[in-house]
Every structure is written in structure tokens, then in C-alpha cells.
Amino acid sequence: MATRYWSVSLPVRTSASSLWNRLQDAISKHSFDTPLYRFNIPNLRVGTLDSLLSLSDDLQKSNSFVEGVTHKIRRQIEDLEKASGVETSALTVDGVPVDSYLTRFVWDEAKFPTMSPLREIVDSIHHQVSKIEDDLKVRIAEYNNVRSQLNAINRKQSGSLAVRDLSNLVKPEDIIASEHLVTLLAIVPKYSQKDWLSSYETLTSYVVPRSSKKLHEDNEYALYTVTLFHRVADNFRTNARERGFQIRDFEYSSEAQESRKEELEKLMRDQETFRSTLLQWCYTSYGEVFSSWMHFCAVRVFAESILRYGLPPSFLACVLAPSIKSEKKVRSILEGLCDSTNSAFWKSEDDAGGMAGLGGDADAHPYVCFTINLV
């Protein structure tokens, strides 16, 4: 699939079919690697010259917005597919691959009546795409909220012993909790384990001898238990901290552990549901936005062609997909099919600056040309 197309219009001096044949012959002879298609733009309602000039001022900005939303949805699809581990799907418009939809474009009269003023069509496209973008933001926010909650839990499960949740590392039999005795959990730097084992019994009075047991170890720390009397627990914490040992607050609860497990499972289900729903919505919405974008491109080519070539509308619109190496040759072909005096005018650096950009492009050519980047 080509990823970069040109939407082009050429002025018709005799007949559109004759010009089309000449263009086909020139492309096939001199740039055979450039696909060429007719861009079927209907006879739209021109309106007044003032309204057309006013509209042309907004076309580039509106095009950037619609194109931006199209690419935003496509990138979201790519991210969701990657996260889901599903095979990348070809994007479509009502089941038609997007490149085929572009190269075989047919105006949707039911959606955008050709008798409507151009401004009304453009505003309608902008409004529809804006609604889809707003919906996208809401759906992404919902999905990211669940992801953030799940990531926070995972960080607690996978971080170092100094910060992670310890509930899945401690068993009921590791903890002594009675009227007089309490078991504390100590986070000991790996390089200080010998120091801990030789000193914990003397950090305060009333520590149960040989009560420390290692439960877990990671790259930085080791998790130890120590049992002592309730009344000296605060003093033990203070003295342990001075020696570089961290005492983690922990209270074993089977109910709390089960609740955390259920919360994690629910968030995992919610994340998958949101991801699947968002992905399906993006597939559908991409087709809608892409279709709107192509209708907008048709309006843009039509409006620019009227401003460039005058009334009545007499131009040939087409879509090309030139390679980088063929671009210069294709432009030469297109220029050669334009009126020679007109071409000379557009080549003039002094004059081109004043006329370039009626439709918003910086490039000045004697023909209308806009770039359509599919990715």
C-alpha cells in the first residue's frame, strides 16, 4: 500500500477525456512506477467568489485538524493492537481498504448533498470529526484510568522490598501477634545481612532470641522477621533505622489479601474490556473520519481549482502515488500538460509568492496539488 498520494487537478482546455489520455500516456511512458487514478469530484455548489475566497483561508487549518484526528485514531489502533498482541489489521472504510477507498473515491450524496454550500459541507465535516475526537478523548481517559490503577498495583508487586506490597510474601505462620508479642518486618540491605543477624537481638531489650527469619530477597534488599515485646517495638524501630534497617508497617489480614486479589482480577478484566471496546470503536471511527477526510480533500481540490482556473468548473482531478525518485519527473509531466504561459507565471519567483497557498500549500505549481499522507 502506498502511504503518500497527491490529489491533483489540471485545467481542461479542450476535453477532460483527451487530457486524461495524454496524462495516462505520459505517466506510463516516463514514470511507469507511478499509479494514476481519476479523482471523481462531483459538480459542487460554487457560491460567490467572496465566499470561496473566505473558505479557502480556512481550508488548510481544517484539513490539518481532520488529518490529525485520522492519524491520532490510527496510532491509537496500533498501540492497542500491540498491547493486545493481535495481528495488525488493514484499516478499512465500510470494509474497503483505505487506499482503495481513496483511489476509487465516490462522493456520498446522502451524507453530503452536493447542493449544499461548500461552507456548510466543510463545517459539517469539521463538526462530525470534532465529535469523534471528543469521544476518543473520553474513551482513552477511561482506558488509561484503569491502566494506571493496574500499573500502580503492579509496581507495588514488582518494586523493591523497600516499597512493594509484602502481603503475598508473608504467610500466617510467619507472624506472631499476641497480647504481649509482635512480629515486625525488617528490610535489610543485602550487604548488611550479617550485621543484621549479629545485632538485631541487641537493638533493644526484650527481643526474642533467634526469632529472625529471612522470607524473601531481591537485588537490593532482604526481608526478615523479628519477634519482640509490644512495649519495646517503637524503640526497636528507632534503633534499627539508625543502623540502616527499615521496619515496614504490616498487619496480616487474610480478608485484606483476598480483597486485593479480587481487586486486581477485576482491574485486569476491566482493562481487557476497555481495550477491546476501544479498539473496535477505533476501527469503526477511523473509517468514518477517513471518509470525511477524503470528502474534505475533494472540496479542497474543487475550491482551489475554481480559484485557480476560474468558472465554469473545467478541470481534471486525479490521484497519483509517485515514489520519491519519480517525483521530479511527475511534476514535469503535470507542468507540461498545463498552459505554457500559465506555467511560466508559476515558475516566476516574484509572482509565485503572491499566488501560492490559495488552498494552503506552500508549494507553487501551475496545477493544483495537495499531499495526502495515509500514515
Side-chain angles (χ1 to χ4, degrees):
M1 180 185 82
T3 59
R4 186 180 65 105
Y5 291 85
W6 290 350
S7 55
V8 172
S9 82
L10 298 167
V12 174
R13 303 306 178 193
T14 54
S15 72
S17 59
S18 173
L19 180 58
W20 172 249
N21 291 334
R22 289 167 60 199
L23 177 58
Q24 281 186 311
D25 291 343
I27 291 292
S28 61
K29 182 178 180 181
H30 300 290
S31 185
F32 57 86
D33 63 341
T34 299
L36 174 66
Y37 312 91
R38 291 289 287 266
F39 194 18
N40 296 308
I41 302 176
N43 288 322
L44 300 173
R45 184 175 171 183
V46 176
T48 66
L49 181 59
D50 285 345
S51 66
L52 205 55
L53 285 169
S54 174
L55 178 65
S56 72
D57 293 337
D58 299 331
L59 286 175
Q60 183 181 20
K61 182 179 179 181
S62 295
N63 181 75
S64 296
F65 168 71
V66 177
E67 180 180 4
V69 175
T70 306
H71 295 329
K72 188 184 298 183
I73 297 175
R74 176 186 53 78
R75 287 191 297 269
Q76 187 63 53
I77 289 173
E78 292 172 352
D79 291 343
L80 291 169
E81 288 179 335
K82 184 177 180 181
S84 302
V86 301
E87 187 175 343
T88 301
S89 303
L91 297 176
T92 63
V93 180
D94 294 331
V96 179
V98 292
D99 54 333
S100 297
Y101 181 86
L102 166 59
T103 56
R104 297 169 177 80
F105 175 76
V106 176
W107 184 273
D108 189 340
E109 175 69 24
K111 199 170 184 180
F112 305 107
T114 54
M115 288 307 296
S116 299
L118 291 182
R119 170 66 70 180
E120 187 176 306
I121 293 175
V122 170
D123 288 348
S124 174
I125 291 173
H126 198 286
H127 178 68
Q128 291 179 21
V129 175
S130 293
K131 285 181 62 178
I132 290 175
E133 185 192 36
D134 290 342
D135 199 2
L136 174 65
K137 290 177 181 177
V138 171
R139 290 172 179 269
I140 290 177
E142 292 174 341
Y143 172 58
N144 286 340
N145 180 48
V146 173
R147 287 182 66 197
S148 297
Q149 294 180 59
L150 193 56
N151 288 338
I153 292 176
N154 288 332
R155 280 195 298 272
K156 288 182 179 180
Q157 298 286 1
S158 59
S160 73
L161 287 168
V163 296
R164 68 174 291 181
D165 179 17
L166 303 178
S167 59
N168 62 335
L169 302 178
V170 182
K171 298 181 176 63
E173 57 267 26
D174 298 324
I175 302 295
I176 295 175
S178 66
E179 182 181 352
H180 299 291
L181 294 175
V182 62
T183 297
L184 302 179
L185 298 179
I187 308 301
V188 180
K190 287 184 70 173
Y191 62 81
S192 300
Q193 292 184 76
K194 287 184 179 180
D195 184 26
W196 165 261
L197 293 171
S198 64
S199 65
Y200 77 89
E201 294 178 1
T202 62
L203 290 177
T204 188
S205 56
Y206 301 108
V207 176
V208 177
R210 296 183 297 280
S211 63
S212 185
K213 180 174 69 171
K214 181 161 73 172
L215 303 183
H216 189 76
E217 185 177 297
D218 62 20
N219 293 331
E220 300 176 73
Y221 301 98
L223 172 64
Y224 282 88
T225 62
V226 59
T227 303
L228 60 159
F229 277 70
H230 268 293
R231 59 182 177 174
V232 297
D234 289 341
N235 190 44
F236 185 90
R237 285 189 177 91
T238 300
N239 294 336
R241 185 167 59 249
E242 292 175 353
R243 295 291 294 268
F245 309 131
Q246 176 189 354
I247 305 301
R248 290 280 305 271
D249 291 328
F250 181 82
E251 182 177 347
Y252 185 84
S253 169
S254 58
E255 292 82 6
Q257 207 166 3
E258 184 63 29
S259 175
R260 281 191 289 267
K261 181 181 177 182
E262 291 177 358
E263 180 188 9
L264 178 61
E265 291 175 349
K266 180 180 183 301
L267 284 172
M268 292 177 67
R269 290 194 302 270
D270 288 346
Q271 177 182 249
E272 189 53 40
T273 299
F274 276 115
R275 183 160 55 200
S276 176
T277 302
L278 178 56
L279 184 57
Q280 292 303 316
W281 180 90
C282 284
Y283 285 144
T284 301
S285 297
Y286 181 86
E288 293 180 15
V289 175
F290 189 86
S291 173
S292 296
W293 183 26
M294 292 306 102
H295 282 78
F296 185 89
C297 289
V299 172
R300 196 178 182 203
V301 171
F302 179 84
E304 174 73 1
S305 298
I306 299 300
L307 290 171
R308 186 76 63 90
Y309 311 135
L311 288 171
S314 183
F315 60 89
L316 172 69
C318 58
V319 172
L320 307 92
S323 62
I324 297 297
K325 67 178 182 179
S326 299
E327 184 172 318
K328 187 174 181 180
K329 185 60 184 176
V330 172
R331 290 210 180 278
S332 176
I333 292 171
L334 294 172
E335 183 178 312
L337 293 173
C338 295
D339 180 80
S340 58
T341 56
N342 190 31
S343 297
F345 171 79
W346 285 94
K347 280 183 177 180
S348 168
E349 293 182 2
D350 294 334
D351 293 329
M355 290 296 292
L358 284 173
D361 274 10
D363 292 340
H365 307 289
Y367 50 88
V368 173
C369 181
F370 299 118
T371 301
I372 301 174
N373 291 304
L374 298 190
V375 295

